[in-house]
Amino acid sequence: AVLGARGGVGKECVLRLCEKSPQEVKEIRAVIRNPSEISSGFFPTDARLKVIAGDVTKEQSLDEVLTGANYAIFAAAGGRSNNVEVDELGLKKTAEAAERHGLARVAICSSQLVDPANRWVPIR
């Protein structure tokens, strides 16, 4: 499951997973808060790809999107108004949900701190 698949890093993760063979990657879950906000063609056409609604700030939502998953990529990022809720607490909730569901691994990737405008974000 790629959490935060609508953002630049998350989308890139989805694209790279789609390049893998079906033997390597059987299912790809692109998790987005509001899938209706993405246009057709945003992601490639791939029978393994499922765009699903999910929110890293809500435990029930995480349980739904991580059930049956083996791995997760946390690429979600909060804006200036909700960075603690998403970047800190959302990551904590994701790790706890991953543990509950027996995921083998959770990878964290972000480009948020590359932009100098984000130099005061508390995740630094």
Side-chain angles (χ1 to χ4, degrees):
V2 179
L3 305 162
R6 183 176 176 213
V9 172
K11 181 180 179 182
E12 195 62 34
C13 291
V14 171
L15 296 176
R16 296 296 150 248
L17 289 169
C18 287
E19 292 175 355
K20 300 290 184 184
S21 73
Q23 291 76 27
E24 292 178 282
V25 179
K26 293 179 176 34
E27 179 184 68
I28 304 160
R29 299 177 192 176
V31 183
I32 299 171
R33 267 181 266 157
N34 190 351
S36 65
E37 291 181 0
I38 63 167
S39 59
S40 65
F42 185 78
F43 292 119
T45 302
D46 188 313
R48 301 170 295 162
L49 179 59
K50 293 170 182 44
V51 179
I52 54 177
D55 188 332
V56 299
T57 67
K58 296 180 172 52
E59 288 180 35
Q60 181 179 350
S61 175
L62 286 165
D63 285 334
E64 291 170 7
V65 300
L66 295 179
T67 297
N70 294 315
Y71 305 96
I73 298 172
F74 186 93
R80 292 174 194 258
S81 63
N82 67 346
N83 55 33
V84 171
E85 185 179 8
V86 174
D87 301 336
E88 182 182 338
L89 301 176
L91 179 57
K92 181 178 186 274
K93 289 177 184 180
T94 298
E96 291 168 350
E99 187 173 29
R100 280 194 304 277
H101 292 279
L103 272 68
R105 186 164 306 216
V106 176
I108 305 163
C109 40
S110 172
S111 64
Q112 186 175 24
L113 297 179
V114 172
D115 186 339
N118 295 321
R119 69 182 171 271
W120 301 114
V121 172
I123 63 168
R124 217 180 236 306

